[in-house]
């Protein structure tokens, strides 16, 4: 396939990159920024690609991007469903017939997230894949943008990677495990019975985690609509917050936002969080 075939692909990527503000993806504007949109290296980082590879794509001179890269670019550039499908067309890749909920952020959810600036907030899927975070959510919970494949789901990491539990006090782990399993069962039930994404996750966890297997056998079902959480922050210590959820119409995406729990000193701690930002965050959490 000749590189000229991807000239329109490069032009489209440049046009979408130019319209995104750094704050939309949790990046500082910076005093020396000469463009209003994202830099090429920033898009490459968000999509998990090398800068040289992304530069070639924008020039229209690169090789045909994979379907996985198209999905990653669609997320990084905050494309709508129509724009995402057009990107697949420009790359001469078939548009996925059954679109995973994590392939792009619902435009309404993304618009709401961009307006939530004074408290931590993020958009996740019903399978707990983080799609977008505001800067305060990154400061509170860690940066989730680097996870790929099955590890993109925090529920999967919770039951397979001990480090994923560090943000919660150990005394709360059992309750969190039970809540995650009940929520996953409810989310899977709301999807089509033939949905491969949810079925694959459940089967993988049944084979990998005895704890998950035991809890799954209890058949608890409950969507997590609101929660009171205790979170261990590496710099500020224990922060107690209310976690509230707003669901998309199909239930596959949720806007989560965190407010200080009444009767605690968490309001002051969240104010400090805005001051220290991500400088003390050592690794991703949820």
């Amino acid at each position: 396939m000749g590189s000229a075939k991807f000239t329109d692909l490069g032009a489209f990527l440049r046009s979408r990159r130019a319209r995104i503000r750094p704050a939309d993806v949790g990046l500082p504007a910076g005093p020396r920024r000469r463009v209003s949109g994202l830099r090429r290296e920033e898009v490459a980082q968000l999509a998990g690609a090398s800068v040289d590879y992304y530069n070639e794509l924008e020039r229209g001179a690169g090789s045909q991007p994979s379907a996985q890269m198209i999905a990653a670019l669609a997320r990084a550039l905050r494309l709508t469903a129509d724009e995402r499908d057009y990107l697949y067309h420009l790359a001469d890749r078939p548009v996925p017939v059954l679109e995973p909920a994590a392939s792009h952020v619902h435009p309404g959810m993304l618009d709401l997230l961009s307006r939530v600036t004074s408290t931590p907030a993020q958009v996740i899927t019903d399978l707990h894949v983080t799609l977008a975070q505001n800067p305060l959510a990154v400061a509170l919970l860690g940066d989730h943008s680097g996870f790929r494949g099955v590890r993109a789901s925090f529920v999967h990491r919770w039951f397979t990677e001990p480090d994923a539990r560090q943000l919660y006090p150990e005394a709360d782990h059992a309750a969190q495990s039970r809540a995650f399993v009940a929520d996953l069962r409810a989310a899977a039930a709301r999807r089509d019975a033939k949905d491969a994404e949810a079925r694959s996750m459940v089967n993988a966890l049944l084979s990998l985690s005895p704890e998950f297997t035991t809890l799954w056998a209890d058949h608890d079902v409950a969507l997590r609509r609101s929660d009171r959480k205790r979170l261990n922050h590496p710099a500020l210590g224990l922060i107690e917050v209310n976690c509230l959820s707003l669901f998309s119409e199909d239930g596959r995406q949720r806007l989560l936002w965190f407010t200080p729990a009444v009767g605690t000193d968490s309001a002051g701690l969240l104010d400090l969080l805005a001051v220290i930002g991500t400088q003390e965050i050592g690794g991703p959490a949820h």
Side-chain angles (χ1 to χ4, degrees):
M1 298 174 62
S3 61
K5 190 168 186 175
F6 299 111
T7 300
D8 288 342
L9 171 66
F12 184 65
L13 290 174
R14 292 194 301 273
S15 72
R16 300 305 89 180
R17 174 171 62 84
R19 71 175 185 170
I20 300 180
R21 297 171 303 171
D24 293 339
V25 293
L27 296 173
R32 298 183 179 179
R33 185 176 291 272
R34 290 177 292 182
V35 294
S36 58
L38 296 181
R39 300 185 178 101
R40 292 183 181 87
E41 58 267 27
E42 292 169 338
V43 176
Q45 179 183 4
L46 291 169
S50 72
V51 177
D52 288 342
Y53 177 76
Y54 182 74
N55 285 340
E56 289 294 295
L57 288 179
E58 280 209 359
R59 289 176 51 213
S63 59
Q64 183 187 27
S66 67
Q68 291 80 7
M69 179 53 62
I70 292 299
L73 289 170
R75 289 193 296 269
L77 294 169
R78 303 298 193 258
L79 300 187
T80 66
D82 292 336
E83 290 171 330
R84 184 213 66 148
D85 290 353
Y86 182 60
L87 188 63
Y88 274 95
H89 168 72
L90 293 177
D92 199 27
R93 293 289 185 186
V95 176
V97 177
L98 294 176
E99 172 195 338
S103 64
H104 76 286
V105 189
H106 187 287
M109 290 290 188
L110 189 58
D111 180 64
L112 283 173
L113 181 65
S114 70
R115 299 172 189 273
V116 179
T117 58
S118 61
T119 197
Q122 61 184 18
V123 179
I124 69 170
T125 73
D126 56 345
L127 301 183
H128 292 261
V129 175
T130 302
L131 304 180
Q133 297 175 282
N134 70 6
L136 286 176
V138 174
L140 178 65
L141 306 169
D143 184 356
H144 291 238
S145 62
F147 294 108
R148 297 290 182 269
V150 294
R151 297 188 66 238
S153 168
F154 183 73
V155 171
H156 188 279
R157 299 199 305 277
W158 177 266
F159 286 103
T160 61
E161 301 177 24
D163 287 348
R165 303 191 175 198
Q166 290 180 355
L167 191 63
Y168 290 93
E170 187 174 356
D172 297 348
H173 288 181
Q176 291 298 327
S177 292
R178 184 168 294 279
F180 277 131
V181 173
D183 183 84
L184 178 59
R185 184 179 285 278
R190 293 179 66 167
R191 292 187 172 212
D192 186 278
K194 298 179 181 179
D195 182 86
E197 188 181 16
R199 185 174 64 251
S200 175
M201 175 177 293
V202 171
N203 289 339
L205 289 173
L206 288 172
S207 67
L208 294 171
S209 171
E211 180 190 17
F212 179 87
T213 301
T214 299
L215 293 172
W216 190 256
D218 288 341
H219 292 272
D220 290 341
V221 185
L223 285 175
R224 300 185 79 165
R225 294 180 172 86
S226 63
D227 256 333
R228 184 153 172 163
K229 297 175 180 283
R230 298 193 304 160
L231 304 174
N232 285 323
H233 188 273
L236 301 178
L238 193 66
I239 305 177
E240 194 162 352
V241 297
N242 296 313
C243 178
L244 307 171
S245 301
L246 177 67
F247 292 77
S248 61
E249 291 183 3
D250 62 4
R252 290 201 175 195
Q253 293 188 13
R254 311 171 186 182
L255 174 67
L256 306 180
W257 70 99
F258 301 83
T259 61
V262 175
T264 70
D265 61 353
S266 296
L269 293 175
L270 289 181
D271 287 341
L272 284 174
L273 188 70
V275 175
I276 68 172
T278 60
Q279 61 185 345
E280 299 291 343
I281 298 292
H286 191 292

